[in-house]
Amino acid sequence: MLPRGRPRALGAAALLLLLLLLGFLLFDGRLRRAAALDGDPGAGPGDHNRSDCGPPPPRPSKCELLHVAIVCAGHNSSRDVITLVKSMLFYRKNPLHLHLVTDAVARNILEMLFHTWMVPAVRVSFYNADELKSQVSWIPNKHYSGLYGLMKLVLPSALPAELAHVIVLDTDVTFASDISELWALFAHFSDTQAIGLVENQSDWYLGNLWKNHRPWPALGRGFNTGVILLRLDRLRQAGWEQMWRLTARRELLTLPATSLADQDIFNAVIKEHPGLVQPLPCVWNVQLSDHTLAERCYSAASDLKVIHWNSPKKLQVKNKHVEFFRNFYLTFLEYDGNLLRRELFGCPSQPPPGAEQLQQALAQLDEEDPCFEFRQQQLTVHRVHVTFLPHEPPPPRPHDVTLVAQLSMDRLQMLEALCRHWPGPMSLALYLTDAEAQQFLRFIEASPVLAARQDVAYHVVYREGPLYPVNQLRNVALAQALTPYVFLSDIDFLPAYSLYDYLRASIEQLGLGSQRKAALVVPAFETLHYRFSFPHSKVELLALLDVGALYTFRYHEWPRGHAPTDYARWREAQAPYRVQWAADYEPYVVVPRDCPRYDPRFVGFGWNKVAHIVELDAQEYELLVLPEAFTIHLPHAPSLDISRFRSSPTYRDCLQALKDEFHQDLSRHHGAAALKYLPALQQPQSPARD
Amino acid sequence: MLPRGRPRALGAAALLLLLLLLGFLLFDGRLRRAAALDGDPGAGPGDHNRSDCGPPPPRPSKCELLHVAIVCAGHNSSRDVITLVKSMLFYRKNPLHLHLVTDAVARNILEMLFHTWMVPAVRVSFYNADELKSQVSWIPNKHYSGLYGLMKLVLPSALPAELAHVIVLDTDVTFASDISELWALFAHFSDTQAIGLVENQSDWYLGNLWKNHRPWPALGRGFNTGVILLRLDRLRQAGWEQMWRLTARRELLTLPATSLADQDIFNAVIKEHPGLVQPLPCVWNVQLSDHTLAERCYSAASDLKVIHWNSPKKLQVKNKHVEFFRNFYLTFLEYDGNLLRRELFGCPSQPPPGAEQLQQALAQLDEEDPCFEFRQQQLTVHRVHVTFLPHEPPPPRPHDVTLVAQLSMDRLQMLEALCRHWPGPMSLALYLTDAEAQQFLRFIEASPVLAARQDVAYHVVYREGPLYPVNQLRNVALAQALTPYVFLSDIDFLPAYSLYDYLRASIEQLGLGSQRKAALVVPAFETLHYRFSFPHSKVELLALLDVGALYTFRYHEWPRGHAPTDYARWREAQAPYRVQWAADYEPYVVVPRDCPRYDPRFVGFGWNKVAHIVELDAQEYELLVLPEAFTIHLPHAPSLDISRFRSSPTYRDCLQALKDEFHQDLSRHHGAAALKYLPALQQPQSPARD
């Protein structure tokens, strides 16, 4: 760090003096801290360990890898952990390795999320929480974090043996500073200290908060375990495994259960072995519980580092400064995670899987190409957060059908009606910004109809780029469907009330799956009226059709899209009938879950469903129209995405280019059989469609 | 800063040594910097003044007030300056005083914005740029910043005489760090230095970039003036006024004009008086021009502090790391400015005007009140950004009419059609988040119809709270209308093509204004069809009405809303006719601009227009129906805002409570005359309306 070209002796002498001085200041700080821990009554939180005193600790070197461990289980904690990670990434300047101890639900969510997030210089390892359960399940525990909170105790054995230092975080903390400053505090540990903790910012461990309040033993106010610096190497050496179990067993002889999960046990161990703990400045874990004493800390400090929402009420906690802290939290809750895909200059790191190929492909694009936006959008890897809300997978049933669709914010109003029309499982992809995802959450919470439905899986695909990635969205929803069959629908359609039952019965009767490779066609209609009384049967539907209150779908603008369904035959049909593919056919179909995916090259609007039906036909799916099935399109204003591109003259040219490439691929896969589709691909499409 | 309770002698000795060491390091740094400026060919940007070497300068004390000056003119720069201010506020920990040198447009925008933003510990002063013009207009200048860029030169005389230190910023910089760290660099100034600058990160001033490239004189690569630390006191003392004028006049004898505005002159002065300048670390002004050498700076630094988009291409600049920097910029562009309304703990400051009363009113609300959300929403002060896009005020014409309406994101699609139907001025309030405001901007840019209309003023009201503040929005749009008359419309209505001309003619003929106090009623119709051919005349409209393709507005659900318009009479009418107010009447009217405001207590949906018509009637406006005027409502899905509250059982109770309070106020203002409205206020309203 010393600039070159200066008389060396003088530099060295000065450095020595500086080190001496530093050592003195640190030593002094430790003495004062120890005094506070010994029960000095005048020393409240923030009083004895404020961040302002003493020189800042040395920062880790520019590219040092920092390790962070987090225990995370379930849908809601997975959302929390992402907000925490966003705050950490916003301020970080070092490569990070996240060690995530997860249940199956959280792993499924977070693995996909990090895979698609592609943040440079972030590595993620997963550890199976279910395998650790038995190590802590014997401990009776009353804390809301349940069994998972206790798992922080077993990290020294659960994490890789070669890992020596780790920062352990609760999912309900938010960073307001660079995590490397926290990591730097490891340098303050004495040779025997192994656990860095901030004092608990409440009087809980002092006891007597109410009659019979008997907390677990702790030094003074005790410590809070929302943020922990762990010297794993030293803990392993000190026999941590036995140490905490012994203490816990002994305390549980007289105490019925832990009240604050792992924190009670950490504190009991520390009371017995005070030499293990290195107290950290209070700003590294500003605790916002209902009766927090944190104000003593943050009003004196010039800088908050980590905010900890350690009340079960979380953001609804009563605290006179809660607005201030909530603003920090909301910042990262609503922060566009795409913006965190930024490299660390001067820190070479292994790129995330797929990132290099992606970079190359993007670099090869020609910005002058009129279809540049299309090509770029096709290559875009969207962050995907599957099962954004709690979801119960449907029980395995051989003929069950999931409704699959995609939407953006402007179609949320459809969801309640859709839930009333389709009582079965649904898998819906939502194209949202991070902020919109929060609005979506509030929308669901405010609707009793939607909040009651645990069989609807919502998958958030984060917005990026100017074109609507309609087929990528459909593929996300399709991939997450868990029943053997899927009904591939669109969000502005309401199915017949009976359709879910009828489809399951039809699948069974027709012996789909094992015997027949078929796509069941659900005939599509539309109303142009904004207020509309939905028909309860085919008879009612036909009556509405006859008086002109309903039409077959796109009858006026684009009859080719559904003509092959043969509506005249459908009127009379009593049994399923087979129809032939024809150009531009795009019916709504029920197919096995393992059907071909949608072609993701079709972004924006046009040809996205048509291409999928071509592929089904090319793969020799029978097209069978169901005589009692129907679905009805409701009117809506054109979406922003569509109106932006309808008027664009290059749009149609680019679409034609996509179609040409689609056909080249089709020929590669299906050979001469693909010739059948060539004329269809070469005719221009009506511009006014969605 | 020294902890108490330690032997004082030892502490003092240590401190002395530390100071000695600090002095040595600083001195060394200065020597090396000076070497680079003397033209050391090996020292490129970032090489000689990187931020990593030497100890950090002392931070300003916790609550020290920092002064920042920015020159800002026009609509687009006003948007830029807000992004800059957001980034500054995000990281700041000190009270700030902004000194804004603005033209009339920017002042109008920024005054309203800061007034409604109500950020604690931020003071704003305005200085009239037009008054400073004459001081710099004699300088021929080719830079895109125009005359306004040059105004930085006259800040020492334009800013208050008692102001000694100020940070001067271009509107195109983004902070990535706490501005107090920059302020702290004042402490590095020698006794004679007066200007702190970062070296220019391009070869521009070295000359010979192309044939006949002859830049202004500069020391080495020169300095960039996007970020300046100014010791105003010293400049005034040193005769800055004369100094720069003399230098500029002399150089202009041989050079035709400045190429880089003020920067050329600053550099020429510094070349002559090198003792004035204190070079700043490169990270405080990372310059992203097309051929920037900034990479030498940022790849070595561990920390970027300020990013400067100093290319006329701004975010479209070609730079291999531009994505990285763009992400920083987008962060603050889309950042929810409401979240920056956070206090500085431990820094008592005078609250922004109105903030104290607001806090008190909010504190008096009862969270258990079922109408709590309504009360809170009524009290909310929304940030308002008037004329978000370039706008040309209409020329003064005595009978001109502005169409006034409000909308949120889900009605943007209406704008193009509205522009086709209404060729006159419009004042539209948009209820948006910061991120949506950017989407809106792109939407306008992508539409040739909208981009061409300079007579449509868009006023962004930033979203906050769960209920739609419909009347607050209407009042913003109404207050910004600049013609003598306004047509108070709603965004989902399209007026007759002829309405604008017809209204102006009617206003003139009827002698409104001076002679008559009247509200002209524009009869309202609706189509339930999503595709619809708009009638070109009253005759065509009546024909559509007769075949049931059109209805009078809300004919099926709520005929009372428009019944007093007397559609039967309107069919036959050849001349304007007077109608009487009746309960629930809510016509669309044309009134003088100084008409009563909408009652802002009506948030969410219901009674918002009805109350306004009651007020007009109570103030004895004649209601005159125009025989050739009409406007037609287009169908749309219910907005998210409305569907959320329609189903709420407490919603109607709260609305009734608002109506009761409205009537109490009405009685207070109009006495016994208000009795007329009592029955209307007491009847329950249909729940299915918007």
Side-chain angles (χ1 to χ4, degrees):
Chain A
M1 291 300 289
L2 282 173
R4 283 158 299 162
R6 180 179 336 118
R8 265 163 201 270
L10 184 51
L15 190 64
L16 200 69
L17 283 169
L18 185 64
L19 288 176
L20 270 171
L21 182 61
L22 275 175
F24 171 75
L25 289 171
L26 289 176
F27 178 72
D28 173 74
R30 205 171 306 146
L31 272 184
R32 300 182 69 242
R33 257 175 251 128
L37 289 174
D38 284 348
D40 172 357
D47 208 29
H48 69 278
N49 56 3
R50 76 176 54 143
S51 68
D52 289 351
C53 58
R59 290 284 192 99
S61 61
K62 184 164 155 68
C63 296
E64 184 177 345
L65 178 66
L66 315 186
H67 294 269
V68 177
I70 305 170
V71 180
C72 175
H75 297 90
N76 295 332
S77 282
S78 297
R79 284 202 314 279
D80 291 343
V81 93
I82 292 162
T83 307
L84 156 59
V85 168
K86 284 202 241 170
S87 74
M88 203 157 63
L89 291 179
F90 183 82
Y91 295 102
R92 67 103 180 220
K93 303 193 174 73
N94 287 66
L96 297 177
H97 187 159
L98 305 182
H99 302 267
L100 304 179
V101 180
T102 52
D103 67 349
V105 164
R107 176 160 185 162
N108 186 43
I109 295 170
L110 295 174
E111 207 160 39
M112 171 78 96
L113 183 91
F114 281 106
H115 179 71
T116 52
W117 201 348
M118 295 183 139
V119 186
V122 170
R123 207 181 129 189
V124 186
S125 301
F126 287 93
Y127 305 85
N128 191 340
D130 296 328
E131 287 172 10
L132 303 177
K133 267 186 181 167
S134 62
Q135 297 184 48
V136 290
S137 57
W138 57 274
I139 306 165
N141 173 29
K142 293 186 292 191
H143 191 246
Y144 64 86
S145 64
L147 211 52
Y148 295 99
L150 291 164
M151 285 184 191
K152 280 183 275 173
L153 291 164
V154 303
L155 287 174
S157 58
L159 295 179
E162 65 278 13
L163 192 62
H165 299 64
V166 73
I167 294 175
V168 184
L169 300 172
D170 278 359
T171 57
D172 55 357
V173 305
T174 310
F175 273 82
S177 60
D178 181 359
I179 191 170
S180 75
E181 295 178 43
L182 179 59
W183 187 267
L185 299 176
F186 272 121
H188 285 190
F189 280 40
S190 74
D191 288 350
T192 52
Q193 290 175 339
I195 309 175
L197 289 167
V198 171
E199 193 185 36
N200 205 35
Q201 290 163 359
S202 83
D203 286 336
W204 173 271
Y205 286 110
L206 300 180
N208 293 316
L209 289 187
W210 55 82
K211 206 178 162 228
N212 296 329
H213 169 233
R214 219 193 117 211
W216 278 54
L219 282 181
R221 282 201 173 77
F223 293 96
N224 183 285
T225 57
V227 176
I228 320 178
L229 299 193
L230 278 190
R231 285 291 306 253
L232 297 165
D233 49 352
R234 291 186 184 164
L235 287 175
R236 291 179 194 120
Q237 235 176 351
W240 171 254
E241 291 282 289
Q242 292 72 39
M243 200 187 286
W244 74 261
R245 279 187 178 81
L246 231 97
T247 305
R249 282 217 184 80
R250 196 191 53 227
E251 294 302 329
L252 284 167
L253 295 177
T254 58
L255 287 158
T258 56
S259 295
L260 303 178
D262 64 296
Q263 183 168 308
D264 284 340
I265 298 174
F266 268 105
N267 273 297
V269 174
I270 287 168
K271 172 102 180 181
E272 238 178 312
H273 309 276
L276 281 177
V277 77
Q278 159 74 7
L280 304 179
C282 65
V283 288
W284 285 105
N285 183 349
V286 176
Q287 300 147 41
L288 296 178
S289 52
D290 273 345
H291 302 286
T292 181
L293 305 173
E295 192 178 347
R296 296 192 208 168
C297 170
Y298 61 73
S299 64
S302 65
D303 232 0
L304 295 178
K305 305 291 192 179
V306 172
I307 299 157
H308 185 186
W309 300 91
N310 64 329
S311 154
K313 297 183 205 159
K314 301 300 173 196
L315 264 65
Q316 270 65 53
V317 69
K318 302 260 182 204
N319 175 297
K320 64 176 171 168
H321 294 124
V322 72
E323 275 302 328
F324 175 92
F325 297 104
R326 197 154 29 201
N327 284 354
F328 265 103
Y329 181 78
L330 292 177
T331 290
F332 298 108
L333 193 68
E334 302 188 347
Y335 191 79
D336 179 354
N338 300 337
L339 300 179
L340 295 165
R341 288 168 166 167
R342 53 186 189 209
E343 56 190 305
L344 299 179
F345 288 124
C347 292
S349 69
Q350 211 191 330
E356 235 162 353
Q357 297 92 299
L358 182 63
Q359 281 308 318
Q360 278 167 9
L362 282 167
Q364 278 165 10
L365 293 184
D366 173 11
E367 284 191 41
E368 306 305 314
D369 177 353
C371 302
F372 174 71
E373 277 196 336
F374 280 79
R375 315 255 172 233
Q376 199 182 27
Q377 188 75 57
Q378 289 161 355
L379 288 173
T380 299
V381 177
H382 296 273
R383 259 181 312 142
V384 177
H385 186 145
V386 298
T387 58
F388 192 72
L389 285 170
H391 171 247
E392 272 179 37
R397 281 184 296 225
H399 309 108
D400 207 358
V401 190
T402 298
L403 185 148
V404 168
Q406 43 73 37
L407 65 154
S408 54
M409 213 57 193
D410 57 345
R411 294 288 184 273
L412 282 192
Q413 311 95 320
M414 289 298 297
L415 291 176
E416 281 204 10
L418 189 57
C419 279
R420 291 201 184 92
H421 281 251
W422 182 268
M426 294 195 245
S427 177
L428 304 175
L430 294 108
Y431 193 51
L432 305 176
T433 64
D434 293 70
E436 285 171 345
Q438 296 306 315
Q439 276 181 264
F440 162 69
L441 211 59
R442 290 192 292 270
F443 179 79
I444 299 287
E445 280 165 5
S447 159
V449 175
L450 299 176
R453 288 289 290 266
Q454 302 280 303
D455 57 349
V456 181
Y458 299 101
H459 315 294
V460 174
V461 178
Y462 288 101
R463 290 188 83 105
E464 188 168 6
L467 288 152
Y468 192 78
V470 55
N471 279 357
Q472 296 178 43
L473 293 170
R474 287 191 175 117
N475 285 342
V476 167
L478 180 51
Q480 296 295 322
L482 301 171
T483 56
Y485 296 89
V486 286
F487 171 34
L488 304 176
S489 185
D490 269 340
I491 197 66
D492 36 16
F493 277 84
L494 290 180
Y497 287 107
S498 59
L499 190 66
Y500 176 57
D501 288 339
Y502 175 61
L503 287 179
R504 290 184 298 163
S506 301
I507 289 163
E508 187 165 11
Q509 281 162 21
L510 292 167
L512 287 202
S514 47
Q515 295 123 299
R516 290 176 91 164
K517 190 174 175 185
L520 306 181
V521 174
V522 176
F525 298 84
E526 77 177 323
T527 168
L528 302 181
H529 266 66
Y530 161 55
R531 290 192 190 79
F532 166 70
S533 162
F534 202 94
H536 285 79
S537 64
K538 180 174 179 179
V539 174
E540 276 186 42
L541 175 116
L542 293 176
L544 289 170
L545 206 59
D546 290 338
V547 299
L550 279 183
Y551 298 95
T552 59
F553 186 53
R554 294 287 185 255
Y555 175 75
H556 296 92
E557 306 85 21
W558 189 243
R560 305 170 56 90
H562 291 264
T565 296
D566 194 350
Y567 288 99
R569 183 166 174 195
W570 184 78
R571 284 188 82 106
E572 313 298 334
Q574 300 291 326
Y577 57 92
R578 188 164 179 182
V579 294
Q580 296 303 317
W581 175 87
D584 297 315
Y585 192 32
E586 48 177 1
Y588 292 95
V589 295
V590 177
V591 283
R593 185 176 58 182
D594 63 357
C595 69
R597 302 290 105 156
Y598 287 90
D599 190 321
R601 92 182 77 209
F602 294 102
V603 292
F605 289 83
W607 246 75
N608 43 68
K609 279 193 299 280
V610 176
H612 189 242
I613 297 295
V614 164
E615 187 64 45
L616 287 180
D617 189 61
Q619 293 195 21
E620 298 178 333
Y621 279 74
E622 269 185 86
L623 294 164
L624 286 177
V625 182
L626 294 178
E628 299 292 328
F630 63 86
T631 185
I632 302 179
H633 181 264
L634 298 197
H636 54 76
S639 71
L640 274 190
D641 292 287
I642 196 173
S643 39
R644 206 184 136 192
F645 285 93
R646 249 184 201 166
S647 50
S648 153
T650 55
Y651 177 70
R652 258 161 287 170
D653 297 341
C654 293
L655 186 58
Q656 187 57 50
L658 299 186
K659 284 161 72 177
D660 292 345
E661 290 162 27
F662 170 73
H663 191 258
Q664 285 160 21
D665 285 353
L666 206 66
S667 304
R668 250 196 298 282
H669 291 130
H670 301 287
L675 278 177
K676 168 181 173 188
Y677 308 105
L678 197 54
L681 280 151
Q682 284 169 343
Q683 68 192 301
Q685 200 183 19
S686 145
R689 307 188 49 253
D690 62 5
Chain B
M1 291 300 288
L2 283 171
R4 283 160 297 160
R6 182 183 331 120
R8 264 162 201 269
L10 185 51
L15 190 65
L16 201 70
L17 284 169
L18 185 64
L19 288 175
L20 271 170
L21 182 61
L22 274 174
F24 172 76
L25 289 172
L26 288 177
F27 177 74
D28 174 73
R30 205 166 310 144
L31 273 184
R32 300 182 70 241
R33 257 176 253 129
L37 288 174
D38 285 347
D40 171 358
D47 207 28
H48 68 279
N49 56 3
R50 75 175 55 141
S51 68
D52 289 351
C53 57
R59 289 282 193 100
S61 61
K62 185 165 154 63
C63 296
E64 185 178 344
L65 179 65
L66 316 185
H67 293 270
V68 177
I70 305 170
V71 180
C72 174
H75 297 90
N76 295 333
S77 281
S78 297
R79 285 202 314 279
D80 291 344
V81 94
I82 293 163
T83 307
L84 156 59
V85 169
K86 284 202 238 171
S87 74
M88 204 158 61
L89 292 179
F90 182 82
Y91 295 102
R92 67 107 179 216
K93 302 193 175 74
N94 285 66
L96 297 177
H97 187 159
L98 305 182
H99 301 268
L100 304 180
V101 179
T102 52
D103 67 350
V105 164
R107 176 160 184 161
N108 185 44
I109 295 169
L110 295 172
E111 206 160 39
M112 171 78 95
L113 183 91
F114 281 106
H115 179 71
T116 52
W117 201 350
M118 293 182 141
V119 186
V122 171
R123 209 182 128 186
V124 186
S125 302
F126 288 93
Y127 305 84
N128 191 341
D130 296 328
E131 289 172 8
L132 303 177
K133 269 185 180 167
S134 62
Q135 298 185 47
V136 290
S137 55
W138 57 274
I139 307 166
N141 174 29
K142 292 186 291 190
H143 191 246
Y144 63 85
S145 63
L147 212 51
Y148 294 99
L150 291 165
M151 285 185 192
K152 280 184 275 173
L153 290 164
V154 303
L155 288 174
S157 58
L159 296 179
E162 64 277 13
L163 192 62
H165 300 63
V166 73
I167 295 175
V168 185
L169 300 173
D170 277 0
T171 57
D172 56 357
V173 306
T174 310
F175 273 81
S177 60
D178 181 358
I179 190 170
S180 74
E181 295 177 45
L182 178 59
W183 187 266
L185 300 175
F186 273 122
H188 285 190
F189 280 41
S190 73
D191 288 350
T192 52
Q193 290 175 339
I195 308 174
L197 289 167
V198 171
E199 193 185 35
N200 204 35
Q201 290 162 1
S202 84
D203 286 336
W204 174 271
Y205 286 109
L206 300 182
N208 294 318
L209 289 187
W210 55 82
K211 199 173 168 236
N212 296 327
H213 169 232
R214 217 193 119 212
W216 279 52
L219 281 182
R221 282 201 173 77
F223 293 94
N224 183 284
T225 57
V227 175
I228 319 178
L229 299 194
L230 279 190
R231 284 291 306 253
L232 298 166
D233 49 352
R234 291 185 184 162
L235 287 175
R236 291 179 195 123
Q237 236 174 350
W240 172 254
E241 292 281 290
Q242 290 73 38
M243 198 188 288
W244 74 261
R245 281 188 177 81
L246 231 98
T247 305
R249 283 218 182 83
R250 196 191 52 227
E251 295 302 329
L252 284 167
L253 295 177
T254 56
L255 287 159
T258 56
S259 295
L260 303 178
D262 63 295
Q263 183 169 307
D264 283 339
I265 298 175
F266 268 105
N267 274 297
V269 174
I270 287 168
K271 173 104 179 179
E272 236 177 314
H273 309 276
L276 282 178
V277 77
Q278 159 73 8
L280 304 179
C282 64
V283 288
W284 285 105
N285 182 350
V286 175
Q287 300 148 39
L288 296 178
S289 51
D290 272 345
H291 302 286
T292 181
L293 306 172
E295 191 178 349
R296 297 193 208 165
C297 170
Y298 60 73
S299 63
S302 65
D303 231 0
L304 295 178
K305 306 292 191 179
V306 171
I307 299 157
H308 186 185
W309 300 91
N310 63 330
S311 156
K313 297 184 204 159
K314 301 299 171 196
L315 266 65
Q316 270 64 55
V317 69
K318 304 256 181 207
N319 174 300
K320 65 177 169 167
H321 294 125
V322 72
E323 275 300 329
F324 175 91
F325 296 103
R326 196 150 34 197
N327 283 355
F328 265 103
Y329 182 78
L330 292 177
T331 290
F332 298 107
L333 193 67
E334 301 188 347
Y335 190 78
D336 179 353
N338 300 337
L339 300 179
L340 295 165
R341 288 168 167 165
R342 52 186 189 212
E343 56 190 303
L344 299 178
F345 288 125
C347 292
S349 70
Q350 210 190 330
E356 236 162 351
Q357 298 90 300
L358 181 63
Q359 281 308 318
Q360 279 167 8
L362 283 167
Q364 277 166 11
L365 294 184
D366 173 11
E367 285 192 38
E368 305 305 313
D369 177 353
C371 302
F372 174 71
E373 277 195 335
F374 280 79
R375 314 255 171 231
Q376 200 181 26
Q377 188 76 57
Q378 289 162 356
L379 289 173
T380 300
V381 177
H382 297 272
R383 259 181 312 142
V384 177
H385 186 146
V386 298
T387 56
F388 192 73
L389 285 169
H391 170 246
E392 272 180 36
R397 279 184 298 223
H399 308 107
D400 206 359
V401 191
T402 299
L403 186 150
V404 168
Q406 42 74 37
L407 65 154
S408 53
M409 212 59 194
D410 56 345
R411 295 287 185 275
L412 282 193
Q413 312 93 321
M414 289 298 297
L415 292 178
E416 282 203 9
L418 190 56
C419 278
R420 291 201 183 92
H421 281 251
W422 183 268
M426 293 195 245
S427 176
L428 304 175
L430 295 108
Y431 194 51
L432 305 175
T433 64
D434 293 70
E436 285 171 346
Q438 296 307 314
Q439 276 180 264
F440 162 69
L441 212 58
R442 291 191 292 270
F443 180 80
I444 299 287
E445 280 165 4
S447 159
V449 175
L450 299 177
R453 287 289 290 265
Q454 301 281 304
D455 57 348
V456 181
Y458 299 101
H459 315 293
V460 174
V461 177
Y462 288 101
R463 289 188 84 104
E464 187 169 9
L467 287 152
Y468 192 78
V470 54
N471 279 358
Q472 297 178 43
L473 293 170
R474 287 191 176 118
N475 285 342
V476 167
L478 181 50
Q480 296 295 322
L482 301 172
T483 55
Y485 296 89
V486 287
F487 171 34
L488 304 175
S489 185
D490 269 341
I491 196 68
D492 35 17
F493 277 84
L494 289 181
Y497 287 107
S498 58
L499 191 65
Y500 176 58
D501 288 338
Y502 176 60
L503 287 179
R504 289 185 298 163
S506 301
I507 289 164
E508 187 166 9
Q509 280 161 21
L510 291 166
L512 288 202
S514 46
Q515 296 122 299
R516 288 176 92 164
K517 190 174 175 186
L520 306 181
V521 174
V522 176
F525 297 83
E526 75 178 323
T527 167
L528 303 181
H529 266 66
Y530 157 57
R531 290 193 191 79
F532 165 70
S533 161
F534 201 94
H536 286 79
S537 65
K538 181 174 178 177
V539 174
E540 275 186 43
L541 175 114
L542 293 177
L544 290 168
L545 206 58
D546 289 339
V547 299
L550 279 183
Y551 299 95
T552 60
F553 186 52
R554 294 288 184 256
Y555 175 75
H556 295 91
E557 307 85 21
W558 189 243
R560 304 170 56 91
H562 292 264
T565 296
D566 194 350
Y567 289 99
R569 184 167 174 193
W570 185 78
R571 283 189 83 107
E572 314 298 335
Q574 301 291 327
Y577 57 93
R578 188 164 179 182
V579 295
Q580 295 303 316
W581 176 87
D584 297 315
Y585 192 33
E586 48 177 3
Y588 293 95
V589 294
V590 177
V591 283
R593 183 176 60 180
D594 63 357
C595 69
R597 303 291 105 156
Y598 287 90
D599 190 322
R601 92 184 76 210
F602 294 102
V603 292
F605 288 85
W607 246 75
N608 42 69
K609 279 194 300 280
V610 176
H612 189 242
I613 298 294
V614 164
E615 187 63 46
L616 287 180
D617 188 60
Q619 293 194 21
E620 298 178 332
Y621 278 73
E622 268 185 86
L623 294 165
L624 286 178
V625 182
L626 295 178
E628 298 294 326
F630 62 87
T631 186
I632 303 179
H633 180 264
L634 298 197
H636 55 76
S639 72
L640 273 190
D641 292 287
I642 197 172
S643 40
R644 207 187 133 191
F645 286 92
R646 249 184 203 165
S647 50
S648 152
T650 55
Y651 176 69
R652 259 161 287 168
D653 297 341
C654 293
L655 186 57
Q656 188 57 51
L658 299 185
K659 284 160 69 177
D660 292 345
E661 290 161 28
F662 170 72
H663 191 259
Q664 285 160 21
D665 285 353
L666 206 64
S667 303
R668 250 196 297 282
H669 290 129
H670 300 288
L675 278 176
K676 170 182 174 188
Y677 308 105
L678 197 55
L681 280 149
Q682 283 170 345
Q683 66 192 306
Q685 201 182 19
S686 148
R689 310 190 45 253
D690 61 4

